[in-house]
Amino acid sequence: MQSEYDVVVIGGGAAGLSAALTLSRARRRVLVVDAGSPRNAPAGHVHNYLGRENTPPGELLAIGREEVALYGGEVRPGTVTAVRPGTATRPGTADRLDGDQRGADAGREWPRFVVELADGTTVGARRVLVTTGLVDELPDIPGVAEHWGSRVLHCPYCHGWEVRDRPVAILGLSAMSAHQALLWRQWTPNVTLLLHTAPTPTDEELAKFARRGIRIVEGEVTSFGADGARLADGTLVPVEALVLMSRVEARADALAPLGLKPADFEANGHRFGTHLPSGMGGATTVPGLYVAGNVTDPMATVIAAAAAGVSTGGMLNMDLVMEDSA
């Protein structure tokens, strides 16, 4: 063991840094391990984040790291490869307590995790918070990955304003594509649903499309580029943005030694991918292991993930307070 902490936060995004800030201000010894691959890295700006509207994602995280460091928290670049159960001899907060408290705690056994990093480093933690987020699995269509986050979009609340009144196409991948078409119609009157692999809309959906002026184009989409979406028969649909609902997978491989695996995430009867289920305050079925942000709530926006980090940080501190008091 090279170091011991009250809480090791795995993932340095909005949720992880917000939790680390909350815990550091609570005088906890905190380490954030960040692999440096945020999901929103391709996006130009963060939106609907009160006080930080239109801030580039990297700039927002840089500000967060500085704020965590201001209160004594540590942020370390690296990748966590495994989290294993272990024991500690005294709480990680001992160096911040007075001498009498350190003496009283010496020799006590405390719940702890062993956190292993890719560089061979291991650290101990009384609690672990996982905020690793998600990985988007995009359809294998030329041009989609290249334009992801700029002209290939997924969230109207994140990007709708930027393409307002412009021609937008929905890439039909499932029955949820009809819902997307109706939703994006709020931002632009020029919406086209490219059926691609989606089922034919119901009569009720078709009636709604007719009322809202939404076009439907059949055929497989084979590429997307500067001029729009190209179909298998060569037809070009000239649009400025392509909207799709990616499948999302929780980043949770490091938790395998604890027996915690991602579960299916479903909403409105549709399977969107996987996540790590959590209970009140981000607690998981593994005692002492918490989750926050997109890894447990795939629908959370950046500001919602940050808020979850603050809330979970508070729950973690109370958990430790109760253990200290016991």
Side-chain angles (χ1 to χ4, degrees):
M1 286 298 174
Q2 297 184 12
S3 303
E4 291 183 359
Y5 298 86
D6 287 323
V7 181
V8 169
V9 181
I10 307 174
L17 290 174
S18 295
L21 180 61
T22 301
L23 288 160
S24 297
R25 283 179 51 82
R27 308 187 70 185
R28 295 295 179 184
R29 191 174 184 209
V30 181
L31 170 67
V32 179
V33 182
D34 183 27
S37 55
R39 181 188 179 197
N40 63 352
H45 303 87
V46 171
H47 299 291
N48 290 322
Y49 199 120
L50 188 62
R52 294 290 180 183
E53 170 61 25
N54 217 34
T55 302
E59 181 180 330
L60 182 68
L61 298 183
I63 293 170
R65 290 191 289 268
E66 291 176 359
E67 291 175 346
V68 170
L70 183 64
Y71 295 99
E74 299 178 39
V75 180
R76 181 185 305 179
T79 300
V80 172
T81 55
V83 181
R84 305 182 188 279
T87 58
T89 55
R90 64 181 177 85
T93 48
D95 60 344
R96 296 192 179 193
L97 301 174
D98 58 38
D100 291 340
Q101 184 64 49
R102 281 198 294 271
D105 287 331
R108 289 189 61 179
E109 290 294 322
W110 294 87
R112 187 181 66 187
F113 296 95
V114 177
V115 181
E116 301 176 357
L117 278 67
D119 64 1
T121 303
T122 57
V123 296
R126 296 173 68 187
R127 301 291 186 272
V128 169
L129 172 59
V130 179
T131 59
T132 46
L134 305 167
V135 175
D136 291 287
E137 292 189 352
L138 302 175
D140 187 17
I141 298 175
V144 167
E146 291 83 349
H147 291 93
W148 179 241
S150 57
R151 295 181 61 234
V152 177
L153 313 172
H154 75 295
C155 171
Y157 300 101
C158 302
H159 304 287
W161 176 265
E162 283 63 43
V163 294
R164 65 194 183 280
D165 297 326
R166 300 178 185 178
V168 171
I170 312 299
L171 179 64
L173 297 173
S174 71
M176 286 298 294
S177 299
H179 169 77
Q180 282 184 295
L182 291 169
L183 182 60
W184 278 82
R185 175 60 180 81
Q186 173 60 27
W187 282 264
T188 175
N190 195 336
V191 175
T192 300
L193 172 59
L194 305 176
L195 280 185
H196 192 53
T197 59
T200 301
T202 64
D203 290 342
E204 181 182 358
E205 289 169 338
L206 290 173
K208 292 178 180 179
F209 289 171
R211 296 188 195 105
R212 299 292 281 163
I214 297 172
R215 296 174 57 215
I216 299 178
V217 175
E218 297 183 356
E220 179 186 357
V221 177
T222 55
S223 66
F224 178 73
D227 51 356
R230 183 76 61 178
L231 305 184
D233 64 3
T235 300
L236 176 68
V237 182
V239 293
E240 294 191 27
L242 184 68
V243 173
L244 60 85
M245 186 171 292
S246 63
R247 176 183 168 84
V248 295
E249 297 294 335
R251 294 170 169 167
D253 291 346
L255 305 180
L258 299 175
L260 190 63
K261 297 180 179 180
D264 286 347
F265 176 75
E266 296 184 0
N268 298 322
H270 177 74
R271 184 177 183 275
F272 290 90
T274 63
H275 73 138
L276 292 176
S278 61
M280 182 178 179
T284 70
T285 54
V286 177
L289 183 73
Y290 290 74
V291 291
N294 281 157
V295 73
T296 185
D297 181 7
M299 307 301 288
T301 60
V302 178
I303 195 169
V310 173
S311 177
T312 304
M315 291 295 293
L316 271 163
N317 180 61
M318 180 53 67
D319 186 7
L320 291 167
V321 165
M322 298 308 292
E323 181 175 273
D324 294 341
S325 302

